[in-house]
Amino acid sequence: LQINAKYNEELAQETLEWIREITGDNINIAGDMDNFYETLNNGTLLCKLVNCIQPGLVKKINESKMAFKCMENINAFLEAAKILGVPTQETFQTVDLWERQNLNSVV
């Protein structure tokens, strides 16, 4: 609970606006934790985002709602972020998003 106290709704909304701008997906950009989590938790949008930045970076995006498939998407996004030059300390752990443990670090 302590970690989520750092969560910034404005920053989360800016993040979702940026994702919407790049992907062209008509997503809800409300910055509240519930919407932020619901929008990103299966990893498909994150993978799409990466592929908009560098086409084909994520080879397979799982559309399945099964937990391990969603986590595979999140992992693929994190790997792609590293390839794109995002330092490891600037990324997050899969469980931070999937288990909603630290949405602040996801933002």
Side-chain angles (χ1 to χ4, degrees):
L1 260 145
Q2 207 59 43
I3 282 173
N4 283 330
K6 293 179 183 162
Y7 182 83
N8 181 329
E9 285 198 11
E10 278 176 41
L11 211 53
Q13 183 174 335
E14 280 176 32
T15 302
L16 291 177
E17 281 174 7
W18 180 76
I19 292 171
R20 183 173 70 180
E21 208 172 287
I22 291 179
T23 62
D25 279 24
N26 186 23
I27 56 169
N28 179 350
I29 56 161
D32 61 278
M33 275 191 190
D34 287 342
N35 181 62
F36 186 81
Y37 175 73
E38 289 301 320
T39 304
L40 300 180
N41 76 338
N42 66 12
T44 54
L45 187 61
L46 292 173
C47 289
K48 186 175 178 183
L49 171 69
V50 163
N51 282 347
C52 286
I53 294 169
Q54 187 174 320
L57 199 53
V58 175
K59 304 279 179 264
K60 183 174 181 286
I61 303 174
N62 298 300
E63 296 294 338
S64 165
K65 299 285 177 240
M66 292 173 70
F68 75 98
K69 292 294 185 188
C70 295
M71 287 189 274
E72 245 174 50
N73 285 342
I74 298 168
N75 281 332
F77 165 77
L78 292 169
E79 287 305 309
K82 284 176 192 151
I83 292 166
L84 290 171
V86 179
T88 308
Q89 66 273 18
E90 294 293 322
T91 62
F92 57 91
Q93 303 295 309
T94 300
V95 292
D96 290 340
L97 175 55
W98 178 248
E99 293 177 9
R100 206 174 166 159
Q101 284 183 6
N102 186 352
L103 291 181
N104 184 53
S105 74
V106 180
V107 175

